[in-house]
Amino acid sequence: MPLRPDLIEILRDEAVPIVILTGAGISKESGLHTFRDPDGIWAKYDIAEVATPEAFVNNPDLVHYFYNDRRAGLRDPAIVPNAAHLALARLEAEWPGDVLLVTQNVDDLHDRAGSKNLIHMHGELLKIRCNHCDLLTVWADDLARETPCPSCGNAGGLRPHVVWFGEMPLEMERIYDALGKCGLFISIGTSGNVYPAAGFVQVAREEAEAETVELNLEPSSGATLFDHSAYGAATDLVPGFVAALLKD
Ligand code: APR
């Protein structure tokens, strides 16, 4: 347990606001690949060919193939929220203070686990938007260059509602506002390689003097920036950590 019981008592008595950051590691045990592990997505695909605005201009068919494949994976009935997702939804429901969950993940497992105060800062795989009319809508099927927009009817403008490299993540103002006020910052299942998410721990430490905790399979690139840490699988670490916070 990375936090001492007396510190937990203080945080709970003061009902401090909590900000949680999650990454692909929290969904690994649900059967979804991470990005940078040896069997990760970036071992199979080149970022520059599938996850940049330039890639979508140069080869939209490959980009659609890449996201259609991941969207189809998410429709697999065997892919369900795991004990770590469920524990975070419980923390939100039972913690006496605010809990904001910021995920880098584009899957819908936090949503399905019951998390409400949730920001998908890198977008959502089960949504698309139109470059012609700015429509943003839910979408579970395959997408192709020829697919007409359900709103404006034009083809060629529909794209996955995901944040590509070189694009601005979503709801950054709301995220920085919460980081600047939190008493506890928890990072789960992320390698700490991608900014601005990898810089959140420093904002929480320096602006809010928050307690910072890393829960991950292994030390992340930013491990030394955290006050407290525990290493292991998310489904082993997170439920126990939440139970301790809630004084089960
Ligand atoms: N439990 C906990 N942590 C795990 C588990 C597990 N079962 N399995 C893997 N991890 C850890 C890995 O050790 C690694 O540190 O999860 C982390 C996953 O790191 P990445 O693959 O780099 O994923 P993430 O940090 O979410 O990537 C950030 O990069 O590619 C972009 O936009 C994409 O949102 C993504 C961003």
Side-chain angles (χ1 to χ4, degrees), residues 22-26 28-29 33-37 40 42 47 104-106 122 163 165 188-194 215-220 232-235 237:
T22 64
I26 200 169
K28 179 82 182 268
E29 294 160 86
H33 287 292
T34 63
F35 293 93
R36 291 172 186 81
D37 285 333
W42 300 142
I47 288 176
Q104 299 170 85
N105 301 344
V106 294
H122 291 164
V163 176
F165 287 87
I188 304 169
T190 183
S191 62
N193 286 303
V194 176
L215 303 177
N216 208 43
L217 196 61
E218 61 201 351
S220 73
T235 59
L237 294 178

Side-chain angles (χ1 to χ4, degrees), residues 63-76 124-128 139-144 159-162:
V63 173
H64 283 311
Y65 174 84
F66 173 66
Y67 288 100
N68 288 343
D69 183 43
R70 293 177 61 197
R71 206 177 288 115
L74 200 48
R75 288 199 303 268
D76 177 346
E124 298 171 69
L125 199 49
L126 296 178
K127 289 184 180 170
I128 61 168
W139 188 272
D141 301 321
D142 285 0
L143 200 56
R159 57 162 286 177
H161 179 54
V162 295

Side-chain angles (χ1 to χ4, degrees), residues 1 3 8-9 12 90 95 238-248:
M1 183 53 227
L3 289 179
I8 292 178
E9 197 91 22
R12 197 172 42 242
R90 180 185 170 216
W95 183 252
V238 178
F241 182 71
V242 167
L245 286 176
L246 296 175
K247 205 178 180 178
D248 263 7

Side-chain angles (χ1 to χ4, degrees), residues 119-204:
I119 295 177
H120 284 272
M121 70 178 288
H122 291 164
E124 298 171 69
L125 199 49
L126 296 178
K127 289 184 180 170
I128 61 168
R129 55 184 199 256
C130 177
N131 285 341
H132 297 306
C133 72
D134 291 332
L135 170 76
L136 171 61
T137 186
V138 291
W139 188 272
D141 301 321
D142 285 0
L143 200 56
R145 224 180 331 169
E146 305 74 32
T147 310
C149 170
S151 175
C152 71
N154 292 314
L158 293 177
R159 57 162 286 177
H161 179 54
V162 295
V163 176
W164 286 326
F165 287 87
E167 294 183 323
M168 191 54 155
L170 308 173
E171 302 207 53
M172 289 308 296
E173 214 177 305
R174 195 175 145 212
I175 295 171
Y176 280 126
D177 184 57
L179 288 168
K181 294 179 190 146
C182 67
L184 178 59
F185 174 73
I186 311 166
S187 174
I188 304 169
T190 183
S191 62
N193 286 303
V194 176
Y195 285 78
F200 290 172
V201 57
Q202 268 156 314
V203 178

Side-chain angles (χ1 to χ4, degrees), residues 7 20 32 35 50 75 194 226 234:
L7 179 52
I20 305 164
L32 296 178
F35 293 93
V50 294
R75 288 199 303 268
V194 176
F226 288 85

